[in-house]
Amino acid sequence: MHKEDKEEGIDAALIALLALLWEARREAPEKPWSLAKLAKRAGIQMSTLLRQLNALSSAGLVTVATAESGGGSASLSTAGAELCASVFAPPAAD
């Protein structure tokens, strides 16, 4: 694995997924996006999405809810929202 493939120890794909979840939270804070919508927006297969969400969930950044039917949804946890607010926030005006 190359150092340039990582950004401060976080895979670029995970950062992209956090950015999508941050967008979802800003659009509708009370309504998590479905796993299908996230996979489509991210342009990745569901298996890849689930692996990435599992990693983010293990880190306490994402909450994933799955249904017996196979569907589900994901949203940022409080810690994930705080991280995204600091990472993706617009630069402060001087």
Side-chain angles (χ1 to χ4, degrees):
M1 188 173 291
H2 300 295
K3 282 279 190 201
E4 54 271 6
D5 291 343
K6 299 280 185 179
E7 184 174 312
E8 294 183 20
I10 299 177
D11 187 290
L14 296 181
I15 293 171
L17 184 53
L18 282 172
L20 274 177
L21 290 165
W22 180 238
E23 177 185 342
R25 185 180 183 95
R26 288 188 329 235
E27 282 182 12
E30 70 292 338
K31 187 171 183 243
W33 278 3
S34 71
L35 299 180
K37 182 174 185 174
L38 279 169
K40 185 174 182 178
R41 288 272 183 114
I44 57 177
Q45 294 181 354
M46 185 63 72
S47 59
T48 303
L49 175 69
L50 291 172
R51 240 184 348 268
Q52 292 175 348
L53 286 173
N54 186 45
L56 293 172
S57 178
S58 294
L61 301 175
V62 172
T63 302
V64 180
T66 53
E68 287 183 28
S69 61
S73 62
S75 60
L76 291 170
S77 66
T78 302
E82 290 170 0
L83 174 69
C84 287
S86 65
V87 172
F88 302 122
D94 289 336

